[in-house]
Amino acid sequence: MHDFDMIVIGSGPSGRRAAVQSAKIGKSVLVIEKGRRVGGVSVHTGTIPSKTMRETVLNLSGWRERGFYGRSYRVKQDISAGDILARLHKTLDHEVEVLEHQFSRNAVKSLRGEARFLSPHEIEVTGEEGETQVVKGAHILIACGTNPFRPDYVPFNGATVFDSDEIVELPRLPRSLAVIGAGVIGVEYATIFSALDVAVTLIEPRSSFLDFIDKELIEEFVHELRDRNVALRLGAAVSTITLGPDERPVVKLADGRTVVADMLLFAAGRVGATARLNLEAAGLTVDHRGRIAVDPKTLQTVVPHIYAAGDVIGFPSLASTSMEQGRLAACHAFGLEPPPPPEFFPYGIYSVPEMSTVGMSEEEVRRREIPYECGIARFRETSRGHIMGLNNGMMKMIFSVRTRRLLGVHIVGEGATELIHIGQAVLNLKGTIDYFIENTFNYPTLAEAYKIAGLDAWNRMSRV
């Protein structure tokens, strides 16, 4: 006999969605969460905190109004870490309240403590005071998420050297910041602090970054970063990181250059939070980054009744896709067959400015040797862009010359992560360029960029 039909380890996006889905079909569910409150990394140190910090910075700094009032414009002259944390904590409280109410009304039980497998069906949970209890589950979902990668050569101290989980509780705002790692997390934080007029240096050992984004979009993004005086150190491996006599981090690069800053954020990757799960007792193994392999269609591990979802299984590591993975895992566990997910899902990068993309990049279209044409719209071409004072921002759309179908949409600029969903719908419904040319968009809106970019592509295609 089992205590629960489904035991979920972790209450992040994939864990909570799996728990609620299981409960909706009448199954008994237990969620084990080792943190103080439900929500996982997404709510407490990852997605929600970083996006809340971004919104607070943009509001208090007056960033969105500087197109009209100049670069020196600020809503609040002296912005402190306390200003940012006040809004952050309020937002997190609201998020946790919503999740706890969701669990309550769906009769999902939760247990605070650290989970550890004793066998494929048994899990020992250790509480804060060292007390233990064993629970048995017919099905188990591992949704424990990830931890920041913390190599030994980085002198983390929680005062001037931080990882990406610690940075949301920074004690003060620095005058200068070095960021190691130009992945999604590093780029987001680098640009958020830059919007506060902090001098930022972004260090990346590879010669390029965010390679899954269309190159033309990245070129536009880099141009704006350089215009804001963000220093880019690409193709520069880190040799050493030391602390000066005043605790200021000193980063020596392999090319001989040195970067000195008030603070350092090390954001070069994350690892699965699986080290203490005793997965061997369940018959599971992990890769060198602590990630668990699953069947991408069912989310099953090599042990059929044990599933894994979210960041712990690796790419794409998005909260949006993690939620769907959790739901699909729960449906499969209890014999439900949901329709297959859409072919294309959007990526959102909450940098300043935002970037969002769906479908194929121009590089991918060329690799597949598909005859294509692109259309470009600049936000400054739209009346809404004039009203908002936007000097930057662009939308790029890619169409097949042969079938006229939309192949990809790529946006950098204000509202990119919202605007992308129009392109996502047309893409997944196999729509063509005709939709954008013939459709009427609200005026004035940034969404008009779809019509502008569509007409731009059509003008080129009509000459072929």
Side-chain angles (χ1 to χ4, degrees), residues 80-144:
S80 68
D83 294 323
I84 295 171
L85 294 178
R87 181 163 177 166
L88 178 62
H89 292 151
K90 195 166 188 178
T91 302
L92 300 194
D93 286 343
H94 284 315
E95 284 283 317
V96 170
E97 283 175 16
V98 169
L99 294 181
E100 288 177 341
H101 182 237
Q102 192 177 37
F103 281 180
S104 176
R105 71 174 186 264
N106 286 286
V108 172
K109 296 186 182 299
S110 59
L111 183 59
R112 185 177 163 194
E114 187 171 34
R116 178 176 176 270
F117 279 95
L118 297 180
S119 73
H121 285 279
E122 292 179 299
I123 296 173
E124 180 184 71
V125 184
T126 304
E128 265 192 334
E129 305 298 325
E131 72 281 11
T132 63
Q133 67 181 97
V134 177
V135 289
K136 296 180 181 178
H139 300 89
I140 296 170
L141 173 71
I142 301 171
C144 56

Side-chain angles (χ1 to χ4, degrees), residues 162-174:
F162 303 90
D163 65 32
S164 56
D165 279 4
E166 297 170 330
I167 195 73
V168 298
E169 293 283 353
L170 80 168
R172 60 183 174 84
L173 292 182

Side-chain angles (χ1 to χ4, degrees), residues 45 127 147 197 200 223 291 419:
T45 58
N147 295 320
D197 300 315
V200 174
H223 173 75
R291 296 170 297 204
L419 287 169

